[in-house]
Amino acid sequence: MQIRELDLKELQMAYEVLSELRTTLSYDEFEDLIYEMRSIEYKMFGVMDGEKLITYAGVAIQTNLYDKRHLFIFDLVTSQKFRAKGYASMMLEYLYDYAKMGMCKNIVLSSGFQREDAHKFYENSGFVKKSFVFIKSV
């Protein structure tokens, strides 16, 4: 197993894993959004077993007034057949080191109410529930 940054030539492979989390996102939307998010230096990382992607993480280092300089995890998903084997924990450890190297003060993520198993995982990994996220369609 190795963890490495994915490049734009690997979008199809990334989408295959990410679509297990983002079930309403088409490949074309994914591709367009990835190119748009390059402006915020969105990075794609993967836990790889040879050429097979096991776990996908999409992150960006950001700064705001309440979380200061932080690593925001937009997406973290392990392919269904590889879950509960420690790959997401391995990725979080990698991202922790990445955040430290990026001089971040925090790692931040948002998780939907329905993802209770994910919430337990994040709490067991040292994350604390801090706030609600509100959204209004335009």
Side-chain angles (χ1 to χ4, degrees), residues 109-138:
L109 58 85
S110 174
S111 182
F113 289 121
Q114 73 282 8
R115 300 191 65 229
E116 292 177 5
D117 289 341
H119 302 165
K120 290 176 190 167
F121 168 73
Y122 293 132
E123 289 171 344
N124 289 338
S125 298
F127 287 80
V128 176
K129 288 181 186 175
K130 182 178 172 187
S131 66
F132 288 101
V133 175
F134 293 89
I135 187 167
K136 181 178 181 179
S137 295
V138 177

Side-chain angles (χ1 to χ4, degrees), residues 48 91 94 107 112 125 130:
M48 306 294 297
M91 178 60 82
Y94 180 88
I107 299 175
S125 298
K130 182 178 172 187

Side-chain angles (χ1 to χ4, degrees), residues 14-69:
Y15 176 75
E16 289 171 12
V17 174
L18 179 68
S19 64
E20 294 184 34
L21 175 65
R22 307 285 178 221
T23 57
T24 62
L25 186 68
S26 73
Y27 178 80
D28 289 339
E29 289 173 307
F30 169 70
E31 184 177 39
D32 288 347
L33 291 168
I34 289 294
Y35 278 93
E36 190 171 327
M37 290 187 299
R38 290 173 63 188
S39 68
I40 64 163
E41 296 192 36
Y42 179 89
K43 304 283 187 199
M44 302 180 295
F45 292 104
V47 174
M48 306 294 297
D49 184 3
E51 294 299 310
K52 176 80 176 153
L53 179 63
I54 305 296
T55 299
Y56 174 90
V59 305
I61 293 177
Q62 301 185 327
T63 303
N64 60 36
L65 298 174
Y66 45 94
D67 292 318
K68 314 297 186 273
R69 184 174 174 88

